[in-house]
Amino acid sequence: ITFYFLKDPTLRFQVNVDGHFLTKPVDELFRKHELHAVPFMTGVNNDEGGWMLASVSVTGTYREFVLNMVSFFYPDVRQTPLDVTILLSPTCSTDEYIGNGDDRVKNRDGYTEMLGDLFFTIPAIKAANAHRGAPVYLYEYQHPPKFLQQKRLSFVGSDHGDEIFIVLGFFEQDHDELLGELCSSPDGHNLVHWPKYGAEEKYLAIGLKKQVTAQHLKKERFVFLTQTVPEKIKQHEENAERNEL
């Protein structure tokens, strides 16, 4: 029954372009860089879709389940915002993330990665790209708080929102306190260097025991979701128009 609710647009959070706080659609603001030139920090965790595992078997799942779940979210193509173009082509996206579907564990992991990328990781990278020109800091947080890790499935990494506990000061050990200081201030005294996010797309990978500079967060997935899928959709629409003529 829950799946039918996903088809009801009134139960989804809509972006309200009110002409005051939000003057234009977000994609247009990003594309034209019509943003306030202020320091900006954003980031993601390394298992953003882990919370979705409540709907998936611990031992894995079948390809058909993934296809059905993906197509449930936005059944009407014309109502789908640009950030979720992946859902317009469930077969294409499923092939990208889980392959042929023979490995049920790979299906499970690919499904959760796909939703994490769609709803959190790719939008965060798009926001970082759009704000370049001002000081931008991007992170990937990789350490789940111990008290949460004990309550979840062993293969779930740092899930959506895990870093909030560290930032707000819910420390369990000295390492956590250090992470809290780091996440609160990219320019903090005696903390590891946090590179600015620019043309080289550098970001900080934040683990418990080490924090390192990395580059091009999920670049291949980003290209797939923001370029490959829209191109396939455009080709499909053009072919459909020719067939109608």
Side-chain angles (χ1 to χ4, degrees):
I1 296 176
T2 303
F3 294 152
Y4 288 101
F5 292 145
L6 295 174
K7 293 185 178 183
D8 186 348
T10 65
L11 297 178
R12 295 197 297 268
F13 292 104
Q14 302 295 316
V15 176
N16 181 26
V17 181
D18 60 4
H20 299 284
F21 178 78
L22 193 60
T23 57
K24 298 177 182 177
V26 174
D27 267 358
E28 183 178 348
L29 292 174
F30 280 4
R31 186 173 64 254
K32 295 181 177 179
H33 295 274
E34 296 180 359
L35 305 163
H36 293 296
V38 296
F40 179 76
M41 182 171 69
T42 188
V44 296
N45 297 339
N46 67 353
D47 200 0
E48 287 283 357
W51 55 278
M52 289 298 299
L53 288 172
S55 63
V56 181
S57 170
V58 174
T59 58
T61 190
Y62 295 101
R63 175 183 171 86
E64 290 73 18
F65 171 85
V66 178
L67 281 168
N68 289 336
M69 284 298 294
V70 170
S71 61
F72 266 123
F73 281 95
Y74 289 88
D76 187 346
V77 167
R78 295 177 184 178
Q79 292 182 4
T80 306
L82 293 178
D83 276 344
V84 291
T85 51
I86 181 176
L87 298 179
L88 298 176
S89 183
T91 301
C92 173
S93 57
T94 301
D95 287 345
E96 169 75 11
Y97 278 85
I98 72 173
N100 59 23
D102 291 339
D103 186 334
R104 293 184 62 190
V105 172
K106 184 177 180 180
N107 295 346
R108 177 200 69 201
D109 295 344
Y111 168 63
T112 55
E113 181 191 3
M114 177 171 60
L115 294 184
D117 286 351
L118 168 65
F119 292 114
F120 303 110
T121 304
I122 301 308
I125 296 172
K126 289 179 68 175
N129 288 340
H131 279 82
R132 282 188 294 201
V136 177
Y137 301 93
L138 179 67
Y139 68 83
E140 184 188 57
Y141 187 77
Q142 302 169 347
H143 170 59
K146 188 176 180 180
F147 77 96
L148 291 177
Q149 202 169 22
Q150 293 171 342
K151 299 178 181 180
R152 60 175 53 141
L153 300 171
S154 61
F155 46 79
V156 177
S158 183
D159 202 350
H160 182 64
D162 278 4
E163 82 278 30
I164 293 176
F165 296 96
I166 300 298
V167 173
L168 294 181
F170 292 94
F171 307 130
E172 294 181 306
Q173 50 186 300
D174 291 341
H175 286 297
D176 283 355
E177 185 171 0
L178 178 61
L179 291 183
E181 293 177 4
L182 179 63
C183 292
S184 301
S185 176
D187 296 318
H189 181 63
N190 290 332
L191 296 177
V192 65
H193 172 65
W194 191 327
K196 290 182 180 179
Y197 183 87
E200 296 179 341
E201 298 181 5
K202 293 182 179 180
Y203 67 96
L204 191 66
I206 304 175
L208 176 62
K209 296 183 178 179
K210 64 179 181 179
Q211 301 83 43
V212 298
T213 295
Q215 285 182 272
H216 309 302
L217 178 62
K218 306 209 76 169
K219 185 69 173 183
E220 292 184 3
R221 299 297 199 203
F222 184 82
V223 171
F224 173 74
L225 294 181
T226 62
Q227 297 180 28
T228 305
V229 171
E231 287 172 1
K232 287 181 178 294
I233 294 170
K234 182 179 180 180
Q235 291 172 3
H236 175 76
E237 292 174 343
E238 291 174 348
N239 290 337
E241 290 178 0
R242 282 196 291 268
N243 291 335
E244 290 177 358
L245 294 176

